Amino acid sequence: TVTVPKGITDLYGAALPQDTIWQFDTAHPDVLFTYPPDLYNKAGNKTEVAIQFNQKMDQHSLEQNIDWQTKDTNQKIPYTLKLDETLTKVSLTPNIALPKASDLVVLIHKGVKSAEGAYTLESDYSWVFTTVGDPRIEESTPKEKDILPNNYGVDIRFTNPMVPAGADQFVTVEPKIEDQFNEMSAYDEGLNLHISGAFLPSTKYKVTINKNWTDTFGQKLGTDFVLNFETDALPADIAF
């Protein structure tokens, strides 16, 4: 509460006729953002949780008021909590491998305390994210036995983000093509492989993705993926 009492005069001698009173409140603890975010579905078996608060927080209170568990069975995930030097960012490092292909819930209980002042988090805050399973090929363009149009490349989409360096080591095209270039997309966390090069027309090709290629979490494909397709014929051309 701030009060400006009546009787205070301005430079010309006029006095404030009555008290002027107003009140304001300082910010309560609140979560600004989290990683992984809500509904994220590409977490790995060692993914750490990060929580950014709007103010300095009390570490002991955080340790007593954050639960991390599986959504379906409520199995607790043991973790180590660390508060950074600003006292506003919290990291949770799992002490076990996170279960594969599972929905995980992080719950911050209301009442977790600020490091400064008496305010606490006013309501529970929770979100859900999902871990990946074993990596596999989700789809390909072209599909098995399809025709690849002229001047097009091959696209392979994975369920998990793959180690980019594996694109050259674990991808083969038979027969070999000139100027082969294997590129992992950057915009979708390495889920898509594009194979370009001088594919000959009216030719049967086989693309093999080696089973030893790993995702970014260290999990191998486990089985070779083989794609057979044929390139389109050149369009008819009449010259005079």
Side-chain angles (χ1 to χ4, degrees), residues 141-162:
T141 305
K143 300 184 184 301
E144 177 73 8
K145 303 295 186 181
D146 270 0
I147 300 296
L148 178 69
N150 290 311
N151 302 317
Y152 278 71
V154 175
D155 288 294
I156 307 290
R157 185 166 181 83
F158 299 86
T159 57
N160 300 5
M162 305 299 290

Side-chain angles (χ1 to χ4, degrees), residues 52 65 134 204 215:
Q52 180 67 56
N65 287 284
D134 292 320
K204 292 182 178 181
D215 63 17

Side-chain angles (χ1 to χ4, degrees), residues 121-137:
L121 191 68
E122 294 183 293
S123 58
D124 289 347
Y125 186 97
S126 66
W127 71 101
V128 179
F129 63 92
T130 304
T131 54
V132 297
D134 292 320
R136 56 183 176 82
I137 307 297

Side-chain angles (χ1 to χ4, degrees), residues 30-199:
D30 196 11
V31 177
L32 298 180
F33 63 84
T34 66
Y35 182 84
D38 190 33
L39 303 181
Y40 183 72
N41 64 358
K42 298 300 178 186
N45 57 2
K46 298 179 181 178
T47 294
E48 295 185 357
V49 169
I51 309 165
Q52 180 67 56
F53 287 91
N54 66 336
Q55 59 188 267
K56 296 179 180 179
M57 301 299 292
D58 179 80
Q59 177 154 345
H60 179 71
S61 183
L62 290 167
E63 291 170 344
Q64 299 299 312
N65 287 284
I66 299 180
D67 288 329
W68 188 0
Q69 61 193 39
T70 57
K71 183 179 180 180
D72 54 350
T73 64
N74 296 325
Q75 174 192 346
K76 297 289 186 181
I77 305 295
Y79 62 84
T80 300
L81 182 147
K82 182 180 179 181
L83 193 58
D84 76 351
E85 62 276 5
T86 69
L87 304 184
T88 64
K89 185 175 182 180
V90 179
S91 62
L92 309 179
T93 303
N95 296 335
I96 60 172
L98 299 177
K100 295 180 181 180
S102 298
D103 293 332
L104 304 179
V105 181
V106 180
L107 169 63
I108 307 172
H109 295 279
K110 65 180 181 180
V112 64
K113 296 178 181 178
S114 169
E116 300 174 337
Y119 285 154
T120 63
L121 191 68
E122 294 183 293
S123 58
D124 289 347
Y125 186 97
S126 66
W127 71 101
V128 179
F129 63 92
T130 304
T131 54
V132 297
D134 292 320
R136 56 183 176 82
I137 307 297
E138 192 170 54
E139 62 179 346
S140 68
T141 305
K143 300 184 184 301
E144 177 73 8
K145 303 295 186 181
D146 270 0
I147 300 296
L148 178 69
N150 290 311
N151 302 317
Y152 278 71
V154 175
D155 288 294
I156 307 290
R157 185 166 181 83
F158 299 86
T159 57
N160 300 5
M162 305 299 290
V163 174
D168 292 328
Q169 184 178 359
F170 297 117
V171 177
T172 58
V173 178
E174 301 173 275
K176 291 184 178 181
I177 58 174
E178 292 184 3
D179 302 320
Q180 180 177 339
F181 184 66
N182 306 316
E183 181 181 18
M184 298 298 298
S185 60
Y187 68 90
D188 63 0
E189 300 186 275
L191 295 173
N192 196 73
L193 166 68
H194 181 72
I195 306 169
S196 59
F199 289 98

